[in-house]
Amino acid sequence: MAESVIDVQGVGKVYAPFPRWLRLLLRSSDKAAVLALDDVSLQVEAGQICAVVGPNGAGKSTLFRVLTGLTTATTGQATILGLDVARQSSAVRRVVGFMPADDRSLFLRHTCLENLIFHGRMQATPGSKLVERANETLEVVGLAHARNRVGFALSAGMRARLQLARAIFHHPSVLILDEPTGTLDPVSSYELVRIIQDLTVERNLAVMLSSHRIEDIEALHDRVLLLNHGKVVYLGNLEKLRAMWEQPRIEVTFEHDENATATALMVREVPGIEVVSVEPPHLVLGTTMGVGELLGHLNGGQGIIKSIQQARMPLRELLAKMLQRQEGQP
Amino acid sequence: MTLLERTRSRLHRAASVGLAFLRMGYLQSIAYPLGFFTEQAGALVPAVIYMFVGRLVQRSGPDVGGDYYTYVVTGLLVVQVMAAGVAGFTREIDLAVVRGNFEMLLVEPVPWKLLPFGMVLWPGVLAIGSTLVIGSVSTLLGAQFRLAGIPQALAVAALAMGAGLSLGILSASVKILAKRGDPILFIYMLGAQIFSGVYFPIDLIPSVLRPISWVIPHTYANVAMRKALMPQGAAIPGLSLSQALLALALFNIIGLTVGLWVYGRSMETGRKYGLLAGY
């Protein structure tokens, strides 16, 4: 079994209310402790991407802050390449490439090249190699043509790629990407995800990435960590997740729109059939019935069925279902 | 890795970080030419004002080294140099927070204790530049300096900047947690303007308040700079140049040790309460 590059064991984080002396300096509305992470454990191996998903406030950013040393865990331990993220934070930051969610973290008044050179110097890259390495990195992310353009002149997609360039400049073993596609259009987002996938393979990286974009998570097609209220709801690969939670669905397409609506009304009362959605002329039904038995029920309806096929449950819905179940909703 | 290799590696890292901040500071300054120019020009205003005040006061006793205008200008040079240390780090943190890249700086693989020294390098260079400009302009306006005292003045400037930086680190330690407001800096700068003898000899301060002057490094920097640069500086009563330099050196050792310790505690508190990433 491959050794874990990122190893998180029972990490919990409670943001305690500020002590009295600190409240003199900074007011906080939190009177009670806030549980941000609760007994989170996971391992990420080299060459693996772990997508961290969950609603706002699920604990994704706190987990990344723990890993980058910006905050300390209250319980548990996290290591990167065997280095303790709490006690060896400076050494950890040498082997981690971090991409924050906010593109203002770049020096937007300066060129792509200057941004990377600054970062390179902070990494103590030898002066003779700085420009060469910066140019190489810009090439990798497809920004070679924009090396002398300032940050403000770049599109959101290009800025995201520049942030990624900064994260990979020093050839880290680990990439931590906080909502890298957050502000991007679907095409830019697709391109960025593809670059991340290629880099993961080529450089054998262990990658943790948070995203609210379901299509990114599906495209990454690797491991998923689903967090809610700081707790792990699911950790594993997408296919297993589908196998565990996906309900069989059948999409029926009618010749005429009104037939879909009428059939939906009719089968609503049939035990074992759930009307998932009606978007005439399409009707999606959730059922474990065989196609023959289902057709028997549908024949009572009017109109000609143009096609009938098995439909996949959208990942968005699958995740929402899991979160609802965790919160005790039906 | 041997001790020598470790030391060499650390020095290389420190030099590289210093160079990074110097270059970025320079680029930031030239990116806003008007702001840069007005800020530098603003530093000249007191030198011009005190030329007129000097004419009005016409004080030439030994307590002001024989020439009130040169006396005040020398004090202004010290303020300029020390301000880079006292306010430079806090100001750079503010700028990084406003720009949005403070969090990213903290994620760079640089020991956090190295950041204050890196971040004040460019403000320090600017302070030295504007000190030279103020010195030159005030010479044209009638101030008189002892050129032979320049090497000693440089030593005073280096020690003054270090003492200022120790206060700046303390101030930034509060700023990191408080986010806005700067009580240490506010109180200190107010105190320094009144009690350190920039504009008038501290002997004029009521004796009951005078002890405040002796706990402010600005006071020693003023004394040392005047002894070094003013033609009649040696005649100014009080501490000698070497005594003032010694006091400044002590401020450096104690101040930087205490400042870095408090800064370390502040960063740890920030990590614990999740204050390093939110403003």
Side-chain angles (χ1 to χ4, degrees):
Chain A
M1 191 179 153
E3 215 166 285
S4 302
V5 176
I6 302 172
D7 190 4
V8 178
Q9 294 294 336
V11 163
K13 174 68 188 176
V14 176
Y15 288 112
F18 291 174
R20 218 176 271 261
W21 68 266
L22 191 52
R23 268 184 274 155
L24 287 175
L25 301 178
L26 186 67
R27 301 291 293 172
S28 164
S29 55
D30 291 327
K31 298 279 187 281
V34 175
L35 179 69
L37 290 175
D38 186 5
D39 196 21
V40 173
S41 297
L42 75 124
Q43 287 80 40
V44 186
E45 296 163 9
Q48 198 172 52
I49 299 176
C50 177
V52 185
V53 287
N56 293 327
K60 305 184 293 290
S61 294
T62 299
L63 178 60
F64 287 175
R65 281 175 194 155
V66 168
L67 291 174
T68 50
L70 285 177
T71 196
T72 43
T74 318
T75 54
Q77 194 194 27
T79 58
I80 290 179
L81 288 173
L83 298 162
D84 188 307
V85 297
R87 286 182 291 112
Q88 294 165 291
S89 163
S90 191
V92 165
R93 284 180 269 132
R94 261 175 241 163
V95 294
V96 170
F98 177 58
M99 177 172 168
D102 189 354
D103 65 10
R104 290 194 315 136
S105 67
L106 293 166
F107 290 97
L108 294 173
R109 280 254 164 242
H110 307 303
T111 63
C112 298
L113 206 55
E114 285 292 353
N115 268 281
L116 292 193
I117 286 175
F118 175 79
H119 175 68
R121 286 203 171 111
M122 296 295 268
Q123 293 281 353
T125 309
S128 55
K129 291 185 182 162
L130 271 172
V131 176
E132 183 191 333
R133 175 94 61 95
N135 280 326
E136 273 171 21
T137 314
L138 289 170
E139 193 88 46
V140 170
V141 298
L143 277 183
H145 64 287
R147 62 168 61 91
N148 291 317
R149 283 171 69 182
V150 297
F152 277 123
L154 303 177
S155 67
M158 291 165 93
R159 281 185 206 171
R161 278 188 273 159
L162 180 55
Q163 291 210 98
L164 179 64
R166 185 177 54 187
I168 62 168
F169 179 89
H170 55 290
H171 290 266
S173 305
V174 171
L175 273 186
I176 295 178
L177 314 171
D178 195 0
E179 295 184 27
T181 58
T183 56
L184 307 189
D185 62 69
V187 175
S188 308
S189 170
Y190 168 76
E191 285 171 355
L192 191 71
V193 167
R194 220 192 48 203
I195 295 172
I196 294 167
Q197 283 176 310
D198 291 347
L199 281 167
T200 307
V201 175
E202 283 163 21
R203 299 192 181 182
N204 203 27
L205 297 170
V207 180
M208 285 188 76
L209 170 157
S210 71
S211 180
H212 287 295
R213 282 175 177 267
I214 297 297
E215 60 269 30
D216 292 350
I217 297 155
E218 289 202 289
L220 291 167
H221 214 264
D222 218 328
R223 298 186 89 205
V224 174
L225 169 69
L226 177 59
L227 286 176
N228 193 27
H229 300 307
K231 284 187 166 62
V232 176
V233 179
Y234 177 78
L235 174 64
N237 70 38
L238 272 179
E239 285 314 308
K240 273 190 191 155
L241 177 75
R242 283 194 180 280
M244 276 167 63
W245 287 84
E246 196 164 40
Q247 292 169 340
R249 286 181 172 187
I250 304 284
E251 185 182 275
V252 187
T253 308
F254 292 89
E255 178 115 328
H256 303 290
D257 288 1
E258 59 273 21
N259 301 139
T261 319
T263 308
L265 283 171
M266 187 193 75
V267 296
R268 193 155 281 165
E269 305 305 322
V270 178
I273 299 180
E274 181 199 352
V275 177
V276 176
S277 68
V278 189
E279 286 172 27
H282 308 288
L283 170 64
V284 178
L285 302 169
T287 181
T288 49
M289 283 180 192
V291 177
E293 189 184 351
L294 180 66
L295 278 173
H297 289 287
L298 296 181
N299 280 344
Q302 294 173 340
I304 302 163
I305 293 172
K306 267 177 76 178
S307 69
I308 185 162
Q309 61 181 357
Q310 206 166 19
R312 289 207 101 178
M313 191 171 180
L315 186 58
R316 185 188 316 277
E317 206 179 313
L318 196 68
L319 296 176
K321 237 180 189 19
M322 289 186 72
L323 293 177
Q324 280 167 2
R325 184 69 63 91
Q326 193 221 6
E327 289 179 355
Q329 295 171 27
Chain B
M1 205 185 233
T2 65
L3 181 67
L4 184 68
E5 284 168 335
R6 264 209 307 273
T7 310
R8 196 177 292 166
S9 160
R10 279 182 189 164
L11 284 176
H12 167 66
R13 180 166 288 277
S16 189
V17 169
L19 208 55
F21 278 115
L22 267 180
R23 173 85 182 151
M24 197 44 82
Y26 164 74
L27 290 173
Q28 290 285 338
S29 291
I30 60 164
Y32 303 94
L34 182 64
F36 177 72
F37 176 75
T38 49
E39 198 175 324
Q40 299 308 307
L44 280 174
V45 173
V48 177
I49 292 173
Y50 278 92
M51 178 189 71
F52 295 110
V53 175
R55 283 181 192 169
L56 186 72
V57 172
Q58 291 191 331
R59 194 180 174 102
S60 56
D63 60 339
V64 293
D67 171 14
Y68 179 70
Y69 180 51
T70 307
Y71 180 88
V72 174
V73 166
T74 317
L76 291 175
L77 298 181
V78 169
V79 167
Q80 199 67 24
V81 168
M82 286 194 79
V86 176
F89 183 37
T90 316
R91 200 174 151 205
E92 288 298 306
I93 288 178
D94 272 344
L95 275 174
V97 168
V98 169
R99 283 194 304 255
N101 41 33
F102 185 57
E103 184 181 349
M104 200 58 221
L105 281 179
L106 295 179
V107 181
E108 293 285 1
V110 175
W112 287 341
K113 285 190 176 168
L114 203 54
L115 287 179
F117 299 96
M119 288 172 95
V120 295
L121 275 178
W122 180 246
V125 169
L126 280 185
I128 289 167
S130 52
T131 302
L132 290 174
V133 173
I134 294 171
S136 308
V137 171
S138 57
T139 303
L140 292 175
L141 295 176
Q144 292 182 328
F145 296 110
R146 199 170 65 91
L147 293 180
I150 287 178
Q152 290 134 310
L154 289 176
V156 176
L159 286 172
M161 209 180 279
L165 179 58
S166 63
L167 288 160
I169 293 172
L170 273 177
S171 166
S173 308
V174 176
K175 183 97 184 174
I176 282 162
L177 300 178
K179 309 299 174 194
R180 292 188 186 184
D182 216 338
I184 291 181
L185 191 62
F186 173 75
I187 295 166
Y188 179 76
M189 291 310 268
L190 188 72
Q193 299 273 338
I194 298 170
F195 293 101
S196 73
V198 177
Y199 305 105
F200 49 85
I202 56 172
D203 293 340
L204 298 179
I205 297 170
S207 56
V208 119
L209 295 173
R210 215 171 299 154
I212 298 173
S213 300
W214 299 118
V215 294
I216 298 175
H218 260 89
T219 308
Y220 301 94
N222 281 331
V223 168
M225 194 64 93
R226 283 168 182 147
K227 297 271 178 187
L229 278 185
M230 290 185 72
Q232 292 177 49
I236 300 174
L239 297 176
S240 67
L241 174 63
S242 50
Q243 284 170 328
L245 283 174
L246 183 66
L248 278 176
L250 283 173
F251 268 109
N252 271 264
I253 295 166
I254 298 168
L256 285 174
T257 309
V258 173
L260 285 174
W261 183 81
V262 174
Y263 171 72
R265 300 294 305 156
S266 171
M267 294 299 271
E268 279 311 310
T269 306
R271 282 177 95 191
K272 182 179 172 186
Y273 291 99
L275 293 173
L276 296 184
Y279 305 92

